[in-house]
Amino acid sequence: CCPPQTPKFLKAEVKEKAIKLKWQTQDAETVGFLILRSENPLSDYKEIAKVKQFSYEDKDVLPGKRYFYRVIA
């Protein structure tokens, strides 16, 4: 019927050696999410994971680096 709704309320929690992402969606039919990451907020996003749950833990991070994420349903 319709395209999936955009995930909302994306939150990032910095852990010792990882960044944990959590989000929500109102769309009960969404069955997967694509996680994209970049070091630039406006470009160069690359796929880092495909998940079926409403969270993802990025363990491929370096201390002191800044990362930007996008989650696509």
Side-chain angles (χ1 to χ4, degrees):
C1 162
C2 309
Q5 290 185 5
T6 303
K8 297 182 183 199
F9 309 112
L10 177 61
K11 294 181 181 179
E13 176 187 346
V14 178
K15 298 186 145 203
E16 187 176 335
K17 295 184 178 180
I19 297 174
K20 183 162 188 170
L21 304 173
K22 293 181 183 179
W23 59 89
Q24 298 175 7
T25 182
Q26 305 279 315
D27 185 358
E29 295 183 23
T30 300
V31 295
F33 301 93
L34 185 63
I35 313 299
L36 307 174
R37 183 182 78 184
S38 176
E39 293 178 23
N40 179 333
L42 300 177
S43 64
D44 301 325
Y45 282 86
K46 293 184 175 43
E47 178 184 327
I48 60 168
K50 290 180 184 175
V51 297
K52 293 185 177 185
Q53 64 274 15
F54 294 93
S55 65
Y56 173 74
E57 194 163 301
D58 185 2
K59 295 180 180 176
D60 186 23
V61 295
L62 297 173
K65 276 225 171 192
R66 189 178 226 182
Y67 299 99
F68 299 89
Y69 295 91
R70 290 184 179 168
V71 177
I72 301 172

